[in-house]
Amino acid sequence: EVRLVESGGDLVQPGGSLRLSCVASGFEFGPAYMSWVRQGPENEFEWVSGITGTSNNRYYSRSARGRFTISRDNAKNSLYLQMERLRPNDTGVYYCVKGSRPTAIPSTSQGTRVTVSA
């Protein structure tokens, strides 16, 4: 069973930083393309960033580019998202997924909540 456990979300002021983490189990993490997706206040999903298994290729949404950095540690089955210069519209629940589709979020995932507010 695919299991993904996210952490690191918090309440932060605009301009602040956070580092999200995700620990994966139940599948072969190393070769897997992984992504972060965000569920916004209106329950809409937005893909934020993705990374190939080797970390050679990293992709970002227009909103995330230049402010967020995705990384992974395959030895630890872990995925990360370093978030800088946070904005109120970054607010939401962040999930890591195998692949890039929100439909791949396991039913057991809780996500991690990021709230950017003064």
Side-chain angles (χ1 to χ4, degrees), residues 10-16 38-41 44 46 63 67-68 83-94 114-118:
D10 205 346
L11 170 63
V12 62
Q13 292 188 346
R38 175 174 64 235
Q39 185 176 23
E44 75 284 7
E46 178 185 3
S63 175
R67 299 187 300 124
F68 295 178
M83 310 167 72
E84 307 284 350
R85 302 195 303 279
L86 282 159
R87 304 166 179 167
N89 61 5
D90 294 320
T91 293
V93 179
Y94 285 71
V114 173
T115 303
V116 185
S117 175

Side-chain angles (χ1 to χ4, degrees), residues 60-73:
Y60 300 94
S61 67
R62 182 175 295 182
S63 175
R65 192 174 298 124
R67 299 187 300 124
F68 295 178
T69 302
I70 191 170
S71 62
R72 65 193 294 160
D73 184 339

Side-chain angles (χ1 to χ4, degrees), residues 4-114:
L4 299 164
V5 181
E6 301 90 350
S7 63
D10 205 346
L11 170 63
V12 62
Q13 292 188 346
S17 301
L18 282 175
R19 187 185 194 225
L20 307 185
S21 299
C22 169
V23 178
S25 62
F27 65 100
E28 193 172 359
F29 181 78
Y33 181 91
M34 298 294 296
S35 294
W36 287 98
V37 298
R38 175 174 64 235
Q39 185 176 23
E42 303 296 326
N43 289 327
E44 75 284 7
F45 283 97
E46 178 185 3
W47 173 84
V48 175
S49 182
I51 185 170
T52 55
T54 60
S55 300
N56 285 348
N57 296 97
R58 311 179 195 212
Y59 305 94
Y60 300 94
S61 67
R62 182 175 295 182
S63 175
R65 192 174 298 124
R67 299 187 300 124
F68 295 178
T69 302
I70 191 170
S71 62
R72 65 193 294 160
D73 184 339
N74 289 345
K76 297 181 179 179
N77 279 11
S78 293
L79 180 73
Y80 307 100
L81 187 68
Q82 179 68 41
M83 310 167 72
E84 307 284 350
R85 302 195 303 279
L86 282 159
R87 304 166 179 167
N89 61 5
D90 294 320
T91 293
V93 179
Y94 285 71
Y95 296 89
C96 61
V97 298
K98 180 175 181 283
S100 61
R101 298 180 183 275
T103 52
I105 298 172
S107 59
T108 54
S109 288
Q110 298 293 312
T112 189
R113 182 173 295 277
V114 173

